[in-house]
Amino acid sequence: MTTGHEYVHGYSDFERTRLVDQATTLTEILHFDTSYPPGSLILEAGCGVGAQTVTLASRSGGAAILSMDISAESLAAARERTRSAESTNVVFQQADLYSLPFHPESFDHVFVCFVLEHLARPGEAMAGLKKVLKPGGTITVIEGDHGSVYFHPESRHARSAIQCLIDLQARAGGDSLIGRSLYPILIKAGFQNVRVSPRMVYVDASRPDLVDGFTRKTFTAMVEGVGDRAIASGMIDADTWNRGIRDLYRTAEADGTFCYTFFKAVARKSGERE
Amino acid sequence: MTTGHEYVHGYSDFERTRLVDQATTLTEILHFDTSYPPGSLILEAGCGVGAQTVTLASRSGGAAILSMDISAESLAAARERTRSAESTNVVFQQADLYSLPFHPESFDHVFVCFVLEHLARPGEAMAGLKKVLKPGGTITVIEGDHGSVYFHPESRHARSAIQCLIDLQARAGGDSLIGRSLYPILIKAGFQNVRVSPRMVYVDASRPDLVDGFTRKTFTAMVEGVGDRAIASGMIDADTWNRGIRDLYRTAEADGTFCYTFFKAVARKSGERE
């Protein structure tokens, strides 16, 4: 017998799903559960221009964050961004992910977001980060997966345009399909308690913030950004490209839908916490 | 400032995600929030052999369920299945989804699971179901999407085998990519408050129940089941097929991952509830 209580419980479970499924911004979808305890020291490896740094700093106001990147230019932009956001708990350092300048077991937690996709040797980077992590500390890795994209209406031109982005990233030594591989990468690097949580972004007209903020201005804009290189390299002809981009924007219309999945992995370094 | 309380709250949010992401069976993922109030009358349209009927009956024990299908043979199997499960709140009726034998506004709620993918005219079916639904009642539609599949290690042979399944279903008048289209189908049929909630099944070795129950015994077994037809029709040669199936099983090994997404839509018929 279903009781009134169980019915309410069923509805409450639905509310829980809704929290995740219907978050209206990418930041909520990726970071609603990114939070570190006061007093902890966090390494943000590969902060780039600081797109995630501000969120990290505000969601863990009591933690100290060391954000590093190999590019001085990116670090300058990240510094400016955290200054504008009035973050007071972030310091920056220029460093190479493959040759970290930190003592072993320096950090309570490590945070890596949209970095592995650009690396030729993600496993080596993970092993280096494990060294500077304290025993019992966690690593959080967030990556996209361009092979997780599908949409309505379907379009082979749009698929060809997306494939250019995937191929260009592969030529540059990266892997834009890395999201689905986080589990084996972290296991192979010797991490324990590896838990991967997919963060699917599902977009239809009932979610106007995501139609505009994700389908148009994040994903399609990103594909559009490699158009000149893709056409110049002979990967695709201009007509197919233009039609592909038009078809991606078409999925943002009232009867269109769009799907993309990010993967968030959290794993632990073995050993007792200090 | 992040307080200890907020950190706990962050963890609790993570627990909520986990409830959905890490459900260990497909039934939990699809149906944890399928529950109707006591006293309501539910139409299960296209019950087939009753695979969902038993779950529906047990999760809504106080509701009365009328399960219909066009096939007398399927209905006999569904009757037997509910009898074995000792369901006491289900009645069966043979009926055609395109020509429903019920008075308008007969049901409090309508439930449709894995049915639209087989129909040549899903929109027409939705319009018919809307007629027999009371004003203010809801329709729940659950469908898969074979275009949502990706896995590690990647394999073009596995992709070719899956494409055979998609093409065979299309030849039979169905659409195995229908999950992504539920939103526009329900909007076009005139339903309101259409909310689509993707149910992604993510599988890695940390989820052994899903490795065996989903990757091997649900998805790969389903693809394997059309092997004779696919090869006989000339869609694919036997070598490619066999390698594709082998590669799908390969994704169930310790370093493999597998992703598939179902879509669950809930929508309302306009008008005041009685």
mmCIF file of all heavy atoms in Angstrom, chain A residues 2 7 14 16-17 21-22 32-33 35 61 148 151 154 180 183 195-197 204 207 257, chain B residues 2 7 14 17 19 21-22 32-33 35 59 61 151 154 180 183 195-197 204 207 257:
data_model
loop_
_atom_site.group_PDB
_atom_site.id
_atom_site.type_symbol
_atom_site.label_atom_id
_atom_site.label_comp_id
_atom_site.label_asym_id
_atom_site.label_seq_id
_atom_site.Cartn_x
_atom_site.Cartn_y
_atom_site.Cartn_z
ATOM 1 N N THR A 2 0.531 2.175 -0.866
ATOM 2 C CA THR A 2 1.189 3.474 -0.833
ATOM 3 C C THR A 2 0.427 4.359 0.134
ATOM 4 O O THR A 2 -0.796 4.470 0.034
ATOM 5 C CB THR A 2 1.173 4.123 -2.224
ATOM 6 O OG1 THR A 2 1.905 3.292 -3.090
ATOM 7 C CG2 THR A 2 1.781 5.501 -2.187
ATOM 8 N N TYR A 7 3.736 9.039 -0.843
ATOM 9 C CA TYR A 7 3.498 9.856 -2.026
ATOM 10 C C TYR A 7 4.274 11.168 -1.906
ATOM 11 O O TYR A 7 4.954 11.593 -2.832
ATOM 12 C CB TYR A 7 1.997 10.108 -2.188
ATOM 13 C CG TYR A 7 1.679 10.948 -3.384
ATOM 14 C CD1 TYR A 7 1.957 10.482 -4.671
ATOM 15 C CD2 TYR A 7 1.123 12.209 -3.239
ATOM 16 C CE1 TYR A 7 1.682 11.257 -5.780
ATOM 17 C CE2 TYR A 7 0.838 12.984 -4.344
ATOM 18 C CZ TYR A 7 1.120 12.508 -5.611
ATOM 19 O OH TYR A 7 0.846 13.280 -6.702
ATOM 20 N N PHE A 14 11.533 13.593 -6.323
ATOM 21 C CA PHE A 14 11.480 14.278 -7.601
ATOM 22 C C PHE A 14 12.104 15.663 -7.476
ATOM 23 O O PHE A 14 12.850 16.096 -8.348
ATOM 24 C CB PHE A 14 10.040 14.381 -8.096
ATOM 25 C CG PHE A 14 9.942 15.023 -9.444
ATOM 26 C CD1 PHE A 14 10.335 14.313 -10.572
ATOM 27 C CD2 PHE A 14 9.505 16.315 -9.587
ATOM 28 C CE1 PHE A 14 10.285 14.903 -11.821
ATOM 29 C CE2 PHE A 14 9.446 16.906 -10.838
ATOM 30 C CZ PHE A 14 9.837 16.200 -11.950
ATOM 31 N N ARG A 16 14.463 16.477 -5.554
ATOM 32 C CA ARG A 16 15.917 16.311 -5.518
ATOM 33 C C ARG A 16 16.489 16.220 -6.922
ATOM 34 O O ARG A 16 17.490 16.840 -7.237
ATOM 35 C CB ARG A 16 16.295 15.046 -4.739
ATOM 36 C CG ARG A 16 16.106 15.186 -3.253
ATOM 37 C CD ARG A 16 16.423 13.854 -2.572
ATOM 38 N NE ARG A 16 15.954 13.903 -1.198
ATOM 39 C CZ ARG A 16 15.685 12.837 -0.466
ATOM 40 N NH1 ARG A 16 15.835 11.629 -0.983
ATOM 41 N NH2 ARG A 16 15.281 12.955 0.767
ATOM 42 N N THR A 17 15.832 15.417 -7.769
ATOM 43 C CA THR A 17 16.302 15.315 -9.147
ATOM 44 C C THR A 17 16.243 16.671 -9.808
ATOM 45 O O THR A 17 17.143 17.066 -10.530
ATOM 46 C CB THR A 17 15.370 14.402 -9.988
ATOM 47 O OG1 THR A 17 14.979 13.319 -9.196
ATOM 48 C CG2 THR A 17 16.072 13.934 -11.238
ATOM 49 N N ASP A 21 18.705 18.465 -12.283
ATOM 50 C CA ASP A 21 18.329 18.496 -13.693
ATOM 51 C C ASP A 21 17.980 19.895 -14.156
ATOM 52 O O ASP A 21 18.159 20.214 -15.319
ATOM 53 C CB ASP A 21 17.098 17.629 -13.938
ATOM 54 C CG ASP A 21 17.418 16.164 -13.796
ATOM 55 O OD1 ASP A 21 18.609 15.821 -13.908
ATOM 56 O OD2 ASP A 21 16.493 15.377 -13.579
ATOM 57 N N GLN A 22 17.436 20.693 -13.248
ATOM 58 C CA GLN A 22 16.882 21.941 -13.729
ATOM 59 C C GLN A 22 17.611 23.169 -13.203
ATOM 60 O O GLN A 22 17.056 24.254 -13.161
ATOM 61 C CB GLN A 22 15.378 21.970 -13.430
ATOM 62 C CG GLN A 22 14.726 20.781 -14.136
ATOM 63 C CD GLN A 22 13.222 20.696 -13.946
ATOM 64 O OE1 GLN A 22 12.606 21.573 -13.382
ATOM 65 N NE2 GLN A 22 12.632 19.627 -14.446
ATOM 66 N N PHE A 32 27.524 23.083 -7.638
ATOM 67 C CA PHE A 32 26.668 23.214 -6.452
ATOM 68 C C PHE A 32 27.199 22.394 -5.281
ATOM 69 O O PHE A 32 26.924 22.687 -4.124
ATOM 70 C CB PHE A 32 25.211 22.863 -6.771
ATOM 71 C CG PHE A 32 24.938 21.383 -6.835
ATOM 72 C CD1 PHE A 32 24.598 20.673 -5.690
ATOM 73 C CD2 PHE A 32 25.031 20.708 -8.040
ATOM 74 C CE1 PHE A 32 24.341 19.317 -5.751
ATOM 75 C CE2 PHE A 32 24.781 19.348 -8.097
ATOM 76 C CZ PHE A 32 24.450 18.654 -6.947
ATOM 77 N N ASP A 33 27.994 21.370 -5.584
ATOM 78 C CA ASP A 33 28.559 20.548 -4.510
ATOM 79 C C ASP A 33 30.082 20.685 -4.413
ATOM 80 O O ASP A 33 30.764 19.818 -3.888
ATOM 81 C CB ASP A 33 28.151 19.085 -4.694
ATOM 82 C CG ASP A 33 28.524 18.556 -6.079
ATOM 83 O OD1 ASP A 33 28.955 19.359 -6.935
ATOM 84 O OD2 ASP A 33 28.374 17.347 -6.310
ATOM 85 N N SER A 35 32.668 22.451 -2.457
ATOM 86 C CA SER A 35 32.825 23.264 -1.255
ATOM 87 C C SER A 35 33.848 22.602 -0.344
ATOM 88 O O SER A 35 33.775 21.400 -0.107
ATOM 89 C CB SER A 35 31.470 23.390 -0.548
ATOM 90 O OG SER A 35 31.590 24.202 0.584
ATOM 91 N N GLY A 61 34.831 30.039 1.136
ATOM 92 C CA GLY A 61 35.380 31.299 1.640
ATOM 93 C C GLY A 61 36.365 31.132 2.790
ATOM 94 O O GLY A 61 37.218 31.994 3.009
ATOM 95 N N SER A 148 29.434 13.610 -26.280
ATOM 96 C CA SER A 148 28.167 13.448 -25.554
ATOM 97 C C SER A 148 27.066 14.331 -26.119
ATOM 98 O O SER A 148 25.969 14.376 -25.584
ATOM 99 C CB SER A 148 28.376 13.799 -24.071
ATOM 100 O OG SER A 148 28.534 15.212 -23.914
ATOM 101 N N PHE A 151 21.123 16.366 -30.278
ATOM 102 C CA PHE A 151 20.168 17.475 -30.314
ATOM 103 C C PHE A 151 19.020 17.137 -31.242
ATOM 104 O O PHE A 151 19.054 16.148 -31.983
ATOM 105 C CB PHE A 151 20.868 18.763 -30.781
ATOM 106 C CG PHE A 151 21.915 18.516 -31.828
ATOM 107 C CD1 PHE A 151 21.568 18.293 -33.158
ATOM 108 C CD2 PHE A 151 23.280 18.442 -31.486
ATOM 109 C CE1 PHE A 151 22.541 18.043 -34.128
ATOM 110 C CE2 PHE A 151 24.252 18.177 -32.439
ATOM 111 C CZ PHE A 151 23.883 17.986 -33.765
ATOM 112 N N GLU A 154 17.994 16.688 -35.559
ATOM 113 C CA GLU A 154 19.288 16.100 -35.905
ATOM 114 C C GLU A 154 19.810 16.788 -37.180
ATOM 115 O O GLU A 154 19.029 17.272 -37.993
ATOM 116 C CB GLU A 154 19.097 14.596 -36.120
ATOM 117 C CG GLU A 154 20.354 13.790 -36.290
ATOM 118 C CD GLU A 154 21.397 13.995 -35.197
ATOM 119 O OE1 GLU A 154 21.370 13.292 -34.189
ATOM 120 O OE2 GLU A 154 22.268 14.866 -35.391
ATOM 121 N N ARG A 180 34.368 10.893 -20.436
ATOM 122 C CA ARG A 180 33.971 9.506 -20.188
ATOM 123 C C ARG A 180 35.116 8.651 -19.641
ATOM 124 O O ARG A 180 34.890 7.529 -19.196
ATOM 125 C CB ARG A 180 33.441 8.880 -21.481
ATOM 126 C CG ARG A 180 34.525 8.610 -22.500
ATOM 127 C CD ARG A 180 34.005 8.187 -23.851
ATOM 128 N NE ARG A 180 33.469 9.335 -24.581
ATOM 129 C CZ ARG A 180 33.064 9.275 -25.848
ATOM 130 N NH1 ARG A 180 33.099 8.129 -26.502
ATOM 131 N NH2 ARG A 180 32.605 10.358 -26.450
ATOM 132 N N TYR A 183 37.204 7.994 -14.949
ATOM 133 C CA TYR A 183 37.305 6.872 -14.012
ATOM 134 C C TYR A 183 38.594 6.067 -14.239
ATOM 135 O O TYR A 183 39.408 5.949 -13.319
ATOM 136 C CB TYR A 183 36.048 5.989 -14.093
ATOM 137 C CG TYR A 183 36.074 4.841 -13.125
ATOM 138 C CD1 TYR A 183 35.666 4.995 -11.802
ATOM 139 C CD2 TYR A 183 36.539 3.578 -13.519
ATOM 140 C CE1 TYR A 183 35.711 3.949 -10.893
ATOM 141 C CE2 TYR A 183 36.591 2.526 -12.623
ATOM 142 C CZ TYR A 183 36.177 2.711 -11.314
ATOM 143 O OH TYR A 183 36.232 1.672 -10.426
ATOM 144 N N ARG A 195 34.700 8.298 -7.563
ATOM 145 C CA ARG A 195 33.260 8.369 -7.836
ATOM 146 C C ARG A 195 33.024 9.398 -8.921
ATOM 147 O O ARG A 195 33.350 10.565 -8.759
ATOM 148 C CB ARG A 195 32.473 8.785 -6.586
ATOM 149 C CG ARG A 195 32.629 7.847 -5.409
ATOM 150 C CD ARG A 195 32.239 6.418 -5.706
ATOM 151 N NE ARG A 195 30.816 6.211 -5.934
ATOM 152 C CZ ARG A 195 30.276 5.029 -6.218
ATOM 153 N NH1 ARG A 195 31.031 3.955 -6.340
ATOM 154 N NH2 ARG A 195 28.987 4.916 -6.399
ATOM 155 N N VAL A 196 32.467 8.959 -10.022
ATOM 156 C CA VAL A 196 32.209 9.865 -11.134
ATOM 157 C C VAL A 196 30.729 10.193 -11.172
ATOM 158 O O VAL A 196 29.879 9.312 -11.096
ATOM 159 C CB VAL A 196 32.651 9.242 -12.473
ATOM 160 C CG1 VAL A 196 32.247 10.137 -13.640
ATOM 161 C CG2 VAL A 196 34.159 9.019 -12.467
ATOM 162 N N SER A 197 30.424 11.463 -11.288
ATOM 163 C CA SER A 197 29.043 11.925 -11.318
ATOM 164 C C SER A 197 28.822 12.726 -12.599
ATOM 165 O O SER A 197 29.352 13.816 -12.755
ATOM 166 C CB SER A 197 28.838 12.791 -10.071
ATOM 167 O OG SER A 197 27.813 13.711 -10.243
ATOM 168 N N ASP A 204 15.750 22.578 -23.211
ATOM 169 C CA ASP A 204 14.609 22.790 -24.110
ATOM 170 C C ASP A 204 14.036 24.167 -23.798
ATOM 171 O O ASP A 204 14.563 24.878 -22.921
ATOM 172 C CB ASP A 204 13.572 21.657 -23.995
ATOM 173 C CG ASP A 204 12.919 21.559 -22.623
ATOM 174 O OD1 ASP A 204 12.744 22.602 -21.956
ATOM 175 O OD2 ASP A 204 12.575 20.433 -22.206
ATOM 176 N N ARG A 207 13.604 25.994 -20.458
ATOM 177 C CA ARG A 207 14.783 26.430 -19.693
ATOM 178 C C ARG A 207 15.517 27.536 -20.458
ATOM 179 O O ARG A 207 16.628 27.342 -20.953
ATOM 180 C CB ARG A 207 15.713 25.235 -19.480
ATOM 181 C CG ARG A 207 14.961 24.043 -18.875
ATOM 182 C CD ARG A 207 15.770 22.768 -18.857
ATOM 183 N NE ARG A 207 14.900 21.640 -18.602
ATOM 184 C CZ ARG A 207 15.194 20.585 -17.845
ATOM 185 N NH1 ARG A 207 16.362 20.488 -17.292
ATOM 186 N NH2 ARG A 207 14.329 19.620 -17.657
ATOM 187 N N THR A 257 15.825 20.746 -28.942
ATOM 188 C CA THR A 257 16.420 20.317 -27.669
ATOM 189 C C THR A 257 17.920 20.125 -27.878
ATOM 190 O O THR A 257 18.379 19.936 -29.010
ATOM 191 C CB THR A 257 15.819 18.999 -27.135
ATOM 192 O OG1 THR A 257 16.123 17.926 -28.030
ATOM 193 C CG2 THR A 257 14.305 19.095 -26.966
ATOM 194 N N THR B 2 32.466 30.461 4.488
ATOM 195 C CA THR B 2 31.827 29.160 4.536
ATOM 196 C C THR B 2 31.883 28.656 5.968
ATOM 197 O O THR B 2 32.941 28.659 6.593
ATOM 198 C CB THR B 2 32.566 28.163 3.642
ATOM 199 O OG1 THR B 2 32.467 28.618 2.310
ATOM 200 C CG2 THR B 2 31.959 26.776 3.751
ATOM 201 N N TYR B 7 29.331 23.538 4.778
ATOM 202 C CA TYR B 7 30.101 22.419 4.232
ATOM 203 C C TYR B 7 29.273 21.139 4.301
ATOM 204 O O TYR B 7 29.189 20.383 3.336
ATOM 205 C CB TYR B 7 31.416 22.264 5.000
ATOM 206 C CG TYR B 7 32.265 21.140 4.468
ATOM 207 C CD1 TYR B 7 32.746 21.182 3.162
ATOM 208 C CD2 TYR B 7 32.551 20.032 5.243
ATOM 209 C CE1 TYR B 7 33.512 20.159 2.663
ATOM 210 C CE2 TYR B 7 33.322 19.005 4.755
ATOM 211 C CZ TYR B 7 33.799 19.059 3.457
ATOM 212 O OH TYR B 7 34.549 18.043 2.965
ATOM 213 N N PHE B 14 25.471 16.922 -2.452
ATOM 214 C CA PHE B 14 26.134 15.869 -3.203
ATOM 215 C C PHE B 14 25.403 14.544 -3.017
ATOM 216 O O PHE B 14 25.225 13.778 -3.955
ATOM 217 C CB PHE B 14 27.595 15.732 -2.762
ATOM 218 C CG PHE B 14 28.343 14.720 -3.569
ATOM 219 C CD1 PHE B 14 28.711 15.006 -4.869
ATOM 220 C CD2 PHE B 14 28.634 13.474 -3.052
ATOM 221 C CE1 PHE B 14 29.381 14.060 -5.635
ATOM 222 C CE2 PHE B 14 29.306 12.525 -3.808
ATOM 223 C CZ PHE B 14 29.680 12.822 -5.101
ATOM 224 N N THR B 17 22.485 14.333 -5.375
ATOM 225 C CA THR B 17 22.879 13.945 -6.725
ATOM 226 C C THR B 17 23.127 12.451 -6.776
ATOM 227 O O THR B 17 22.727 11.763 -7.702
ATOM 228 C CB THR B 17 24.202 14.624 -7.138
ATOM 229 O OG1 THR B 17 24.187 15.938 -6.670
ATOM 230 C CG2 THR B 17 24.361 14.606 -8.643
ATOM 231 N N LEU B 19 21.893 10.098 -5.111
ATOM 232 C CA LEU B 19 20.681 9.288 -5.131
ATOM 233 C C LEU B 19 20.252 8.994 -6.556
ATOM 234 O O LEU B 19 19.801 7.906 -6.878
ATOM 235 C CB LEU B 19 19.540 10.028 -4.435
ATOM 236 C CG LEU B 19 19.550 9.985 -2.913
ATOM 237 C CD1 LEU B 19 18.422 10.846 -2.384
ATOM 238 C CD2 LEU B 19 19.397 8.555 -2.407
ATOM 239 N N ASP B 21 22.292 9.707 -9.468
ATOM 240 C CA ASP B 21 23.394 9.245 -10.312
ATOM 241 C C ASP B 21 23.794 7.816 -10.016
ATOM 242 O O ASP B 21 24.295 7.116 -10.888
ATOM 243 C CB ASP B 21 24.633 10.110 -10.078
ATOM 244 C CG ASP B 21 24.448 11.491 -10.640
ATOM 245 O OD1 ASP B 21 23.553 11.657 -11.489
ATOM 246 O OD2 ASP B 21 25.189 12.385 -10.235
ATOM 247 N N GLN B 22 23.657 7.427 -8.764
ATOM 248 C CA GLN B 22 24.243 6.154 -8.394
ATOM 249 C C GLN B 22 23.214 5.110 -7.987
ATOM 250 O O GLN B 22 23.525 4.158 -7.283
ATOM 251 C CB GLN B 22 25.314 6.392 -7.322
ATOM 252 C CG GLN B 22 26.392 7.305 -7.896
ATOM 253 C CD GLN B 22 27.512 7.610 -6.923
ATOM 254 O OE1 GLN B 22 27.616 7.028 -5.866
ATOM 255 N NE2 GLN B 22 28.370 8.542 -7.310
ATOM 256 N N PHE B 32 11.946 5.985 -9.494
ATOM 257 C CA PHE B 32 11.953 6.352 -8.067
ATOM 258 C C PHE B 32 10.939 7.458 -7.772
ATOM 259 O O PHE B 32 10.463 7.590 -6.659
ATOM 260 C CB PHE B 32 13.367 6.745 -7.587
ATOM 261 C CG PHE B 32 13.786 8.129 -7.978
ATOM 262 C CD1 PHE B 32 13.489 9.216 -7.165
ATOM 263 C CD2 PHE B 32 14.460 8.348 -9.170
ATOM 264 C CE1 PHE B 32 13.871 10.497 -7.525
ATOM 265 C CE2 PHE B 32 14.839 9.630 -9.534
ATOM 266 C CZ PHE B 32 14.540 10.705 -8.716
ATOM 267 N N ASP B 33 10.596 8.221 -8.787
ATOM 268 C CA ASP B 33 9.615 9.288 -8.589
ATOM 269 C C ASP B 33 8.309 9.037 -9.347
ATOM 270 O O ASP B 33 7.564 9.959 -9.637
ATOM 271 C CB ASP B 33 10.216 10.644 -8.976
ATOM 272 C CG ASP B 33 10.756 10.654 -10.410
ATOM 273 O OD1 ASP B 33 10.779 9.576 -11.037
ATOM 274 O OD2 ASP B 33 11.152 11.722 -10.889
ATOM 275 N N SER B 35 4.888 7.764 -8.783
ATOM 276 C CA SER B 35 3.987 7.385 -7.697
ATOM 277 C C SER B 35 2.716 8.214 -7.807
ATOM 278 O O SER B 35 2.782 9.428 -7.967
ATOM 279 C CB SER B 35 4.680 7.633 -6.354
ATOM 280 O OG SER B 35 3.856 7.212 -5.308
ATOM 281 N N ARG B 59 4.367 0.682 -6.728
ATOM 282 C CA ARG B 59 4.713 2.031 -6.280
ATOM 283 C C ARG B 59 3.491 2.915 -6.056
ATOM 284 O O ARG B 59 3.603 4.007 -5.514
ATOM 285 C CB ARG B 59 5.647 2.713 -7.289
ATOM 286 C CG ARG B 59 7.031 2.040 -7.389
ATOM 287 C CD ARG B 59 8.033 2.967 -8.046
ATOM 288 N NE ARG B 59 8.139 4.208 -7.282
ATOM 289 C CZ ARG B 59 8.968 4.412 -6.272
ATOM 290 N NH1 ARG B 59 9.794 3.486 -5.904
ATOM 291 N NH2 ARG B 59 8.968 5.561 -5.620
ATOM 292 N N GLY B 61 0.222 1.651 -4.791
ATOM 293 C CA GLY B 61 -0.665 0.578 -4.324
ATOM 294 C C GLY B 61 -2.092 1.025 -4.071
ATOM 295 O O GLY B 61 -3.011 0.205 -4.105
ATOM 296 N N PHE B 151 30.854 5.456 -25.007
ATOM 297 C CA PHE B 151 31.522 4.506 -24.117
ATOM 298 C C PHE B 151 33.024 4.630 -24.281
ATOM 299 O O PHE B 151 33.531 5.299 -25.192
ATOM 300 C CB PHE B 151 31.077 3.072 -24.446
ATOM 301 C CG PHE B 151 30.842 2.827 -25.912
ATOM 302 C CD1 PHE B 151 31.910 2.651 -26.787
ATOM 303 C CD2 PHE B 151 29.552 2.845 -26.435
ATOM 304 C CE1 PHE B 151 31.705 2.462 -28.135
ATOM 305 C CE2 PHE B 151 29.337 2.665 -27.804
ATOM 306 C CZ PHE B 151 30.412 2.463 -28.655
ATOM 307 N N GLU B 154 36.380 3.728 -27.075
ATOM 308 C CA GLU B 154 35.581 4.013 -28.270
ATOM 309 C C GLU B 154 35.798 2.887 -29.285
ATOM 310 O O GLU B 154 36.850 2.233 -29.296
ATOM 311 C CB GLU B 154 36.031 5.369 -28.836
ATOM 312 C CG GLU B 154 35.203 5.930 -29.966
ATOM 313 C CD GLU B 154 33.711 5.989 -29.679
ATOM 314 O OE1 GLU B 154 33.242 6.987 -29.123
ATOM 315 O OE2 GLU B 154 33.018 5.018 -30.052
ATOM 316 N N ARG B 180 15.060 12.413 -27.047
ATOM 317 C CA ARG B 180 15.384 13.845 -27.108
ATOM 318 C C ARG B 180 14.232 14.699 -27.635
ATOM 319 O O ARG B 180 14.299 15.930 -27.543
ATOM 320 C CB ARG B 180 16.616 14.056 -27.990
ATOM 321 C CG ARG B 180 16.343 13.859 -29.452
ATOM 322 C CD ARG B 180 17.572 13.838 -30.304
ATOM 323 N NE ARG B 180 18.315 12.595 -30.156
ATOM 324 C CZ ARG B 180 19.376 12.264 -30.885
ATOM 325 N NH1 ARG B 180 19.837 13.119 -31.782
ATOM 326 N NH2 ARG B 180 19.986 11.115 -30.714
ATOM 327 N N TYR B 183 9.944 16.665 -25.536
ATOM 328 C CA TYR B 183 9.443 18.016 -25.271
ATOM 329 C C TYR B 183 8.614 18.555 -26.442
ATOM 330 O O TYR B 183 7.434 18.886 -26.256
ATOM 331 C CB TYR B 183 10.598 18.954 -24.897
ATOM 332 C CG TYR B 183 10.145 20.347 -24.566
ATOM 333 C CD1 TYR B 183 9.693 20.686 -23.295
ATOM 334 C CD2 TYR B 183 10.146 21.352 -25.549
ATOM 335 C CE1 TYR B 183 9.254 21.962 -22.997
ATOM 336 C CE2 TYR B 183 9.706 22.628 -25.256
ATOM 337 C CZ TYR B 183 9.264 22.937 -23.984
ATOM 338 O OH TYR B 183 8.824 24.206 -23.697
ATOM 339 N N ARG B 195 7.720 19.109 -18.442
ATOM 340 C CA ARG B 195 9.030 19.102 -17.794
ATOM 341 C C ARG B 195 9.717 17.800 -18.138
ATOM 342 O O ARG B 195 9.222 16.720 -17.815
ATOM 343 C CB ARG B 195 8.915 19.200 -16.267
ATOM 344 C CG ARG B 195 8.238 20.465 -15.781
ATOM 345 C CD ARG B 195 8.887 21.754 -16.272
ATOM 346 N NE ARG B 195 10.217 21.999 -15.714
ATOM 347 C CZ ARG B 195 10.952 23.064 -15.990
ATOM 348 N NH1 ARG B 195 10.513 23.989 -16.839
ATOM 349 N NH2 ARG B 195 12.137 23.212 -15.452
ATOM 350 N N VAL B 196 10.857 17.898 -18.789
ATOM 351 C CA VAL B 196 11.605 16.703 -19.179
ATOM 352 C C VAL B 196 12.797 16.541 -18.246
ATOM 353 O O VAL B 196 13.544 17.480 -18.001
ATOM 354 C CB VAL B 196 12.078 16.802 -20.644
ATOM 355 C CG1 VAL B 196 12.979 15.616 -20.996
ATOM 356 C CG2 VAL B 196 10.879 16.860 -21.581
ATOM 357 N N SER B 197 12.966 15.346 -17.744
ATOM 358 C CA SER B 197 14.061 15.048 -16.818
ATOM 359 C C SER B 197 14.877 13.894 -17.393
ATOM 360 O O SER B 197 14.411 12.771 -17.455
ATOM 361 C CB SER B 197 13.411 14.668 -15.479
ATOM 362 O OG SER B 197 14.255 13.876 -14.706
ATOM 363 N N ASP B 204 30.512 2.558 -14.568
ATOM 364 C CA ASP B 204 31.929 2.187 -14.509
ATOM 365 C C ASP B 204 32.067 1.064 -13.492
ATOM 366 O O ASP B 204 31.059 0.626 -12.916
ATOM 367 C CB ASP B 204 32.834 3.396 -14.203
ATOM 368 C CG ASP B 204 32.588 4.007 -12.832
ATOM 369 O OD1 ASP B 204 32.235 3.267 -11.886
ATOM 370 O OD2 ASP B 204 32.763 5.231 -12.691
ATOM 371 N N ARG B 207 30.304 0.507 -10.138
ATOM 372 C CA ARG B 207 28.865 0.239 -10.090
ATOM 373 C C ARG B 207 28.587 -1.128 -10.715
ATOM 374 O O ARG B 207 27.985 -1.216 -11.799
ATOM 375 C CB ARG B 207 28.111 1.332 -10.860
ATOM 376 C CG ARG B 207 28.533 2.726 -10.395
ATOM 377 C CD ARG B 207 27.984 3.852 -11.247
ATOM 378 N NE ARG B 207 28.676 5.081 -10.934
ATOM 379 C CZ ARG B 207 28.123 6.290 -10.907
ATOM 380 N NH1 ARG B 207 26.869 6.426 -11.197
ATOM 381 N NH2 ARG B 207 28.840 7.348 -10.606
ATOM 382 N N THR B 257 33.916 2.374 -19.521
ATOM 383 C CA THR B 257 32.750 3.131 -19.048
ATOM 384 C C THR B 257 31.674 3.072 -20.123
ATOM 385 O O THR B 257 31.970 2.822 -21.305
ATOM 386 C CB THR B 257 33.081 4.614 -18.750
ATOM 387 O OG1 THR B 257 33.468 5.271 -19.960
ATOM 388 C CG2 THR B 257 34.189 4.747 -17.714
#
